[in-house]
Amino acid sequence: MKMLSKILKKQITSTIIALLFGFLVAAIVLAIAGYNPGQAFGALFKGMLSKPKYISNVIIKATPIILTGLSVAFAFKTGLFNIGAEGQYVAGSIAAVLVGVKLNLPAVIQVPLVVLAGVLGGMVFGSVVGFLKAKFGIHEVITSIMLNWISLYLSNFIVSSQAYHLPNSTSTYPVNESSYTMILPKWKTSDAGMAALKPNKWLYEMMLKTDVNVGIVIAILMAVVIWVLLYRSNKGYELRAVGFNRDAAEFAGINVNRNIVQAMLIAGALSGLAGALSITGIAPHKISTLAAFENYGFNGLSVAMIAGSSPIGCVFAGLLFGGLLYGGQSVQQEVGAPTEIINIMIGTIVFFVALTKVVPALAERLEKRGVGHAQ
Amino acid sequence: MEVSKEYAVQMHGITKLFGTFRALDNVNLDVKKGSIHAILGENGAGKSTLMNVLYGLYQADAGEIYLNGEKVVIKNPNVAIEHGIGMVHQHFMLVDNFTVTQNIILGTEVTSRFGVLDMKKAREEILNIVKKYGLEVDPDAKIEDISVGMQQRVEILKALYRGAEILILDEPTAVLTPQEIEELISIMHSLIEDGKTIIIITHKLKEIKASSDVCTIIRRGQYIDTVPVADVDEEELATKMVGHAVKLVVDKTPAKPGDVVFEIDHLTVKDDRGLEAVKDLSLKVRKGEIVGIAGVDGNGQKELVEAITCLTRSESGTIKINGTEIQNTTPRNVIEHKVSTIHEDRQRRGLVLPFTVAENMVIEKYRTPEFKRHGMQNREKAQEYTKKLIQDYDIRPAGCENQPVRGLSGGNQQKVIIAREVSNDPDLLIAVQPTRGLDVGAIEYVHKTLVRERDAGKAILLISLELDEVMNVSDTIDVIYDGTIVAEYKQGEVDENTIGLLMAGGKQNENAVQNT
Ligand SMILES: Nc1ncnc2c1ncn2[C@@H]1O[C@H](COP(=O)(O)OP(=O)(O)OP(=O)(O)O)[C@@H](O)[C@H]1O
Ligand SMILES: [Mg+2]
């Protein structure tokens, strides 16, 4: 009994229970809609894991939302609600395109420049929010939502601008190839590359059929960096103190306003990085006219939520989320169930994670009953 | 003790565990109907926990509760309310921008036939209760506009409105001014006359003597004794509570003041409403001297402290530490000029509640070379440092350095702040209500600490609403009234009545020296 209640009190356990509930509710919804839940879930997991190509695509899909998830989680730990991750992501991709199309330097210089441009783009958007909050006390949610729309229209404006518009299309020119962050993009399609990859079926499929890129490595690295920043560095200590109790932080001589701006700057940088890596790492390497948001930032909110705002948790939550998004397509193809079902499932999972406070309370009950029995 | 109808509350053999920690171990409490029953115990003894069990906020792991001789199981506060138990917590639970009436009826709204809120009827009922017990409150005032003492009355009204026969008051006087305390005690007596039963937690032995019939003492979760208050004196109570003799009077040698360390000159500060709260105030603190400021709450003490710590702007005048002007700079600059402040609002300004004790200990030091390494926190150092302070200051439970400070009892949270500020090794130590919520043992310790720091050559500015404390500890006593220092005396040159009169705005005695 003690063991059980101890296990139940762990955050990870509650998350897993929430996941199971999410699947359960999705199963019920599927059944009501007249689809076989077993079959649908079979298709889902097959679509996520059964082929190297799928796994690779899940990772590719997960990369940007791990980063936007980190952005949201980080801001949350510092007491800010970064609903602007979406706009910062778009800003990052815009900045990456602006630089990547115009410059064409050797890859060793070009790649860092383009990625950095994206990071900067996100930073600008993030810091505007931070600045407005610190200086005028305007709530970050309001400014973020407005900036999200600004980013969307800014993106469309760039697409339609003379300098960037690719004639007879709805997009910009792609960034120059020297900006690509795929792994060995040239070599793998050359005769020598194909010959070298052939013996290993796994690698062959993964490399040739998907845009394998360095993004995931950077995302994982960033998760570690953010963890260290938050929990081991002096800056993180300040940021968290301000997040938890601004008045006490101020009284202790911590510059509250500067920390708010810095927190938003870092959060923006992470989302901007996500945008830039999507441009450099995944075809078509350009931005297109947006009718609506692509949800990379908003999905980051869900990822952060599932991860309980733990930086390392964001990696796993992002992979799960990417998997559901990608595998969901197969459910549609194989079972004929609409992807809305997948969205319902994701929704329920997030919903139940939000309810996970119930689980430790349950554990407490269990513990009490245990003591009662013991007597 | 036998179960009997004569007792409004009987709690027998109550045990409460937090994890493996025994907060209460086989504690008994028998409260006679129609009496005022005090619970006395050190910080962290388990008083609040025991009352939370009675109110259904916690479930005991063992033990029984009887109300009027009947065994009951109190699963949650709703059940407690049904049984006629009301509780006023130390931290009030009121909605700031609601009126008094709205707050009182919240959750028990009376509706007329069509489900419309019947405010008029509710208001009348409240006025009835107000009249009956002399609980003067304006039912239409907003909570944010009334004083803390008034807010507490609203909490009491709330409990009475819900039909409370047994009223629990958890440290009700910690936030009150001496006048308000007197009023509260008279309200308590009028409640008793009406047949209600009151359980009161307080650290102030004087109040127990003045208000209560019986007192139960607990120490570290153990039941110690229950005594009729009339039969014991304050010293005996203190000894029972702490387990050894306590000195209630501060032991100190005459001060040997040195140079002036801290000097305020013609300071004027406005409050948040733009009115002058501190008016042309001047004062000096010397090395090796404790200057105490006595005054009724709301006479500019809060604004004075905020101006010194640069949380608010000074309109005019100067504040100098070791000859350097610090007014209108930053809180950090003030700290760097070796000023340490024990703030009166420990939960808002003093602590980051979700942070661990160790993290809270270094909140002004994490940025010094001693506690950082290449921009990283030196966590081992912080741990080590905290462990030592926990031991030196007897913060309980021992070994709490990695627990969130939120889990500590109120008094122990206060000790964390005192330990932190004193160990900053400041030139000027400002202590605002440093013993609020502390037990007599801890108070003795804090007072000794202040005297020790004084003897070590520190300048100390003590601001307190407790006249006793100011009179006992200070070498120089300043009286603040309406934002300015109206009189200054050396310790021993003046009696409590004179100061009390001056605090209330009375005329100054002739031989007082003004603004020296
Ligand atoms: N929710 C909790 N979780 C863990 N420990 C707790 C909790 N509440 C109280 N404790 C511990 O139980 C002990 C008793 O706490 P309690 O708040 O009852 O003390 P108290 O007598 O009211 O003290 P004070 O006079 O300082 O308010 C303390 O050591 C405290 O740290
Ligand atoms: Mg308490």
Side-chain angles (χ1 to χ4, degrees):
Chain A
M1 203 64 104
K2 255 224 169 98
M3 254 311 254
L4 187 58
S5 86
K6 211 171 199 174
I7 293 172
L8 280 177
K9 272 188 185 160
K10 285 238 150 85
Q11 156 112 35
I12 179 91
T13 322
S14 1
T15 309
I16 289 169
I17 290 174
L19 289 175
L20 293 178
F21 265 107
F23 279 108
L24 190 72
V25 173
I28 294 168
V29 174
L30 277 166
I32 291 171
Y35 303 99
N36 178 345
Q39 210 184 344
F41 288 147
L44 176 68
F45 285 107
K46 241 170 58 196
M48 273 161 65
L49 304 168
S50 67
K51 284 189 192 166
K53 175 179 134 184
Y54 295 161
I55 296 178
S56 177
N57 273 331
V58 165
I59 292 173
I60 291 167
K61 195 107 191 157
T63 304
I65 55 180
I66 291 174
L67 284 165
T68 52
L70 268 176
S71 163
V72 175
F74 172 79
F76 193 74
K77 287 283 180 200
T78 64
L80 297 163
F81 187 56
N82 186 19
I83 202 174
E86 185 71 36
Q88 294 147 15
Y89 174 92
V90 177
S93 52
I94 295 173
V97 165
L98 288 181
V99 175
V101 170
K102 288 295 167 199
L103 285 187
N104 197 1
L105 303 164
V108 264
I109 308 171
Q110 174 90 358
V111 171
L113 270 182
V114 174
V115 172
L116 225 64
V119 169
L120 259 162
M123 270 180 161
V124 169
F125 269 58
S127 55
V128 166
V129 171
F131 176 78
L132 289 174
K133 172 152 187 147
K135 191 87 191 166
F136 303 108
I138 308 173
H139 200 280
E140 70 270 18
V141 166
I142 297 173
T143 44
S144 292
I145 289 175
M146 301 210 292
L147 278 169
N148 283 348
W149 290 104
I150 291 174
S151 76
L152 183 111
Y153 292 115
L154 187 66
S155 174
N156 288 349
F157 172 75
I158 302 288
V159 172
S160 62
S161 72
Q162 270 283 305
Y164 287 93
H165 186 76
L166 178 69
N168 304 321
S169 78
T170 56
S171 65
T172 60
Y173 289 103
V175 292
N176 290 309
E177 275 181 34
S178 55
S179 333
Y180 289 2
T181 52
M182 285 86 77
I183 295 168
L184 306 170
K186 281 259 175 54
W187 173 83
K188 73 180 181 187
T189 47
S190 69
D191 289 343
M194 296 239 262
L197 286 170
K198 202 101 205 190
N200 189 333
K201 253 192 97 187
W202 249 76
L203 262 182
Y204 182 78
E205 203 186 319
M206 236 185 205
M207 291 288 281
L208 282 165
K209 295 196 178 162
T210 68
D211 285 332
V212 175
N213 67 67
V214 297
I216 187 68
V217 181
I218 295 178
I220 293 172
L221 198 74
M222 286 328 284
V224 176
V225 168
I226 291 298
W227 184 85
V228 173
L229 173 68
L230 272 176
Y231 295 105
R232 289 291 177 269
S233 79
N234 258 352
K235 185 81 252 169
Y237 175 89
E238 273 184 14
L239 288 166
R240 284 187 301 128
V242 171
F244 282 134
N245 184 349
R246 241 203 244 207
D247 293 324
E250 182 189 16
F251 187 65
I254 295 173
N255 187 331
V256 171
N257 286 343
R258 187 167 46 189
N259 275 288
I260 289 175
V261 176
Q262 285 170 345
M264 280 312 300
L265 198 90
I266 295 168
L270 287 165
S271 290
L273 177 64
L277 288 176
S278 291
I279 294 294
T280 59
I282 313 168
H285 304 285
K286 58 188 180 184
I287 47 179
S288 307
T289 309
L290 297 173
F293 290 116
E294 292 174 298
N295 288 341
Y296 285 106
F298 294 133
N299 288 341
L301 290 175
S302 309
V303 167
M305 180 95 210
I306 295 175
S309 292
S310 136
I312 306 298
C314 280
V315 174
F316 297 99
L319 284 170
L320 173 79
F321 209 95
L324 291 176
L325 285 177
Y326 184 72
Q329 299 168 1
S330 324
V331 179
Q332 188 180 22
Q333 284 156 17
E334 273 194 34
V335 193
T339 38
E340 276 75 18
I341 293 285
I342 290 297
N343 290 336
I344 289 176
M345 192 158 84
I346 294 173
T348 21
I349 290 171
V350 175
F351 180 75
F352 277 103
V353 172
L355 286 184
T356 44
K357 285 212 182 86
V358 178
V359 178
L362 216 84
E364 196 115 300
R365 276 231 165 141
L366 210 73
E367 216 166 55
K368 250 175 230 153
R369 268 200 7 223
V371 175
H373 284 306
Q375 281 169 355
Chain B
M1 177 102 41
E2 245 172 84
V3 175
S4 148
K5 271 192 115 143
E6 267 176 59
Y7 291 95
V9 177
Q10 293 184 290
M11 300 176 82
H12 288 174
I14 303 289
T15 296
K16 172 71 195 168
L17 301 166
F18 289 112
T20 55
F21 175 72
R22 275 177 190 269
L24 293 172
D25 191 5
N26 201 10
V27 171
N28 299 322
L29 177 70
D30 298 270
V31 182
K32 271 230 173 73
K33 224 179 268 180
S35 71
I36 300 181
H37 196 117
I39 299 180
L40 183 64
E42 292 173 278
N43 296 123
K47 304 176 298 290
S48 298
T49 306
L50 184 66
M51 288 302 103
N52 286 336
V53 167
L54 178 57
Y55 196 56
L57 285 166
Y58 292 147
Q59 298 300 305
D61 293 304
E64 282 108 47
I65 303 176
Y66 304 87
L67 298 178
N68 305 314
E70 307 257 335
K71 183 167 175 171
V72 292
V73 177
I74 302 173
K75 272 195 296 210
N76 56 50
N78 287 334
V79 177
I81 292 167
E82 273 169 34
H83 284 299
I85 301 174
M87 180 157 177
V88 177
H89 294 271
Q90 191 177 344
H91 301 114
F92 303 148
M93 306 186 173
L94 299 169
V95 183
D96 269 358
N97 52 1
F98 271 24
T99 66
V100 169
T101 308
Q102 284 168 334
N103 264 288
I104 291 172
I105 63 170
L106 200 65
T108 53
E109 295 86 348
V110 212
T111 50
S112 64
R113 246 191 318 166
F114 305 104
V116 182
L117 201 56
D118 195 345
M119 284 293 269
K120 226 172 118 198
K121 188 155 159 245
R123 194 166 172 279
E124 255 162 49
E125 266 177 62
I126 292 167
L127 280 174
N128 273 339
I129 305 175
V130 165
K131 244 186 249 130
K132 196 159 162 196
Y133 302 112
L135 275 158
E136 286 321 315
V137 188
D138 172 8
D140 305 315
K142 276 195 180 164
I143 297 299
E144 57 197 5
D145 297 332
I146 62 178
S147 71
V148 178
M150 286 291 165
Q151 291 180 14
Q152 184 174 62
R153 289 183 184 186
V154 177
E155 287 278 15
I156 296 175
L157 270 174
K158 212 162 101 182
L160 295 173
Y161 183 79
R162 283 163 177 66
E165 288 299 318
I166 301 161
L167 198 59
I168 306 168
L169 306 171
D170 191 351
E171 292 194 40
T173 58
V175 290
L176 300 184
T177 62
Q179 287 84 342
E180 286 172 324
I181 292 171
E182 264 172 43
E183 287 162 16
L184 175 68
I185 291 178
S186 87
I187 291 169
M188 282 165 58
H189 283 130
S190 69
L191 287 166
I192 294 305
E193 271 162 34
D194 196 45
K196 313 254 184 223
T197 306
I198 296 176
I199 304 177
I200 178 174
I201 298 179
T202 174
H203 289 296
K204 298 181 193 163
L205 303 169
K206 236 192 204 169
E207 284 164 17
I208 294 182
K209 289 292 284 179
S211 68
S212 311
D213 306 310
V214 182
C215 178
T216 292
I217 296 129
I218 51 181
R219 192 192 307 151
R220 301 193 185 209
Q222 307 272 342
Y223 172 83
I224 301 296
D225 202 358
T226 297
V227 293
V229 171
D231 297 357
V232 289
D233 61 21
E234 290 178 30
E235 259 81 20
E236 280 174 85
L237 280 175
T239 308
K240 273 188 193 294
M241 173 179 123
V242 188
H244 56 82
V246 188
K247 279 223 186 73
L248 296 177
V249 197
V250 187
D251 227 356
K252 59 172 197 174
T253 54
K256 299 183 205 76
D259 304 337
V260 173
V261 171
F262 183 65
E263 188 170 5
I264 296 179
D265 208 23
H266 299 290
L267 182 73
T268 297
V269 184
K270 287 188 176 160
D271 65 14
D272 359 321
R273 287 169 304 174
L275 305 173
E276 283 184 4
V278 175
K279 298 173 189 161
D280 200 24
L281 180 147
S282 302
L283 83 98
K284 278 183 191 133
V285 188
R286 295 178 175 79
K287 230 171 132 83
E289 171 192 47
I290 301 176
V291 174
I293 298 185
V296 177
D297 195 16
N299 276 288
Q301 295 98 322
K302 177 172 158 255
E303 288 77 11
L304 174 63
V305 174
E306 295 210 327
I308 299 173
T309 50
C310 289
L311 290 169
T312 193
R313 269 190 57 77
S314 305
E315 288 300 315
S316 61
T318 57
I319 304 172
K320 274 190 231 157
I321 174 93
N322 291 322
T324 318
E325 289 190 15
I326 53 166
Q327 76 274 9
N328 294 332
T329 59
T330 60
R332 180 158 178 171
N333 179 57
V334 176
I335 293 168
E336 280 166 3
H337 278 88
K338 307 205 66 138
V339 177
S340 269
T341 311
I342 298 165
H343 198 279
E344 62 178 322
D345 194 339
R346 59 177 169 241
Q347 302 217 330
R348 190 167 82 88
R349 288 286 188 192
L351 297 168
V352 178
L353 290 176
F355 268 14
T356 63
V357 174
E359 283 174 317
N360 271 292
M361 268 316 173
V362 299
I363 196 159
E364 290 149 348
K365 292 201 185 63
Y366 71 95
R367 51 187 177 239
T368 60
E370 206 187 339
F371 287 90
K372 70 175 188 193
R373 267 189 312 229
H374 321 294
M376 292 288 147
Q377 304 164 41
N378 188 343
R379 289 156 53 88
E380 293 75 46
K381 179 88 204 183
Q383 300 271 330
E384 211 180 285
Y385 178 74
T386 306
K387 269 190 202 150
K388 184 165 178 306
L389 289 179
I390 288 174
Q391 202 179 6
D392 289 356
Y393 287 79
D394 190 24
I395 296 167
R396 293 179 206 173
C400 61
E401 63 270 10
N402 288 322
Q403 285 174 22
V405 82
R406 170 178 279 145
L408 300 192
S409 79
N412 281 297
Q413 292 181 0
Q414 183 71 15
K415 286 193 196 171
V416 171
I417 297 178
I418 291 169
R420 179 181 72 204
E421 299 302 329
V422 172
S423 61
N424 272 350
D425 191 27
D427 285 347
L428 173 72
L429 178 65
I430 303 173
V432 191
Q433 299 271 70
T435 56
R436 172 186 279 185
L438 292 188
D439 64 61
V440 287
I443 290 175
E444 182 193 20
Y445 186 81
V446 171
H447 288 168
K448 266 196 201 156
T449 307
L450 292 179
V451 172
R452 186 191 71 211
E453 293 302 304
R454 176 200 80 172
D455 292 342
K458 306 274 155 68
I460 294 170
L461 181 62
L462 169 70
I463 301 177
S464 175
L465 303 178
E466 308 270 348
L467 185 49
D468 280 353
E469 180 165 78
V470 177
M471 300 281 299
N472 259 328
V473 180
S474 321
D475 303 310
T476 302
I477 300 159
D478 283 1
V479 183
I480 191 169
Y481 176 75
D482 195 21
T484 195
I485 303 290
V486 293
E488 181 171 290
Y489 297 94
K490 293 279 163 251
Q491 187 182 30
E493 282 177 358
V494 65
D495 60 15
E496 220 166 284
N497 289 337
T498 313
I499 301 276
L501 203 67
L502 287 164
M503 281 164 60
K507 275 267 153 7
Q508 186 185 339
N509 192 313
E510 269 149 48
N511 48 18
V513 208
Q514 196 169 10
N515 294 346
T516 42

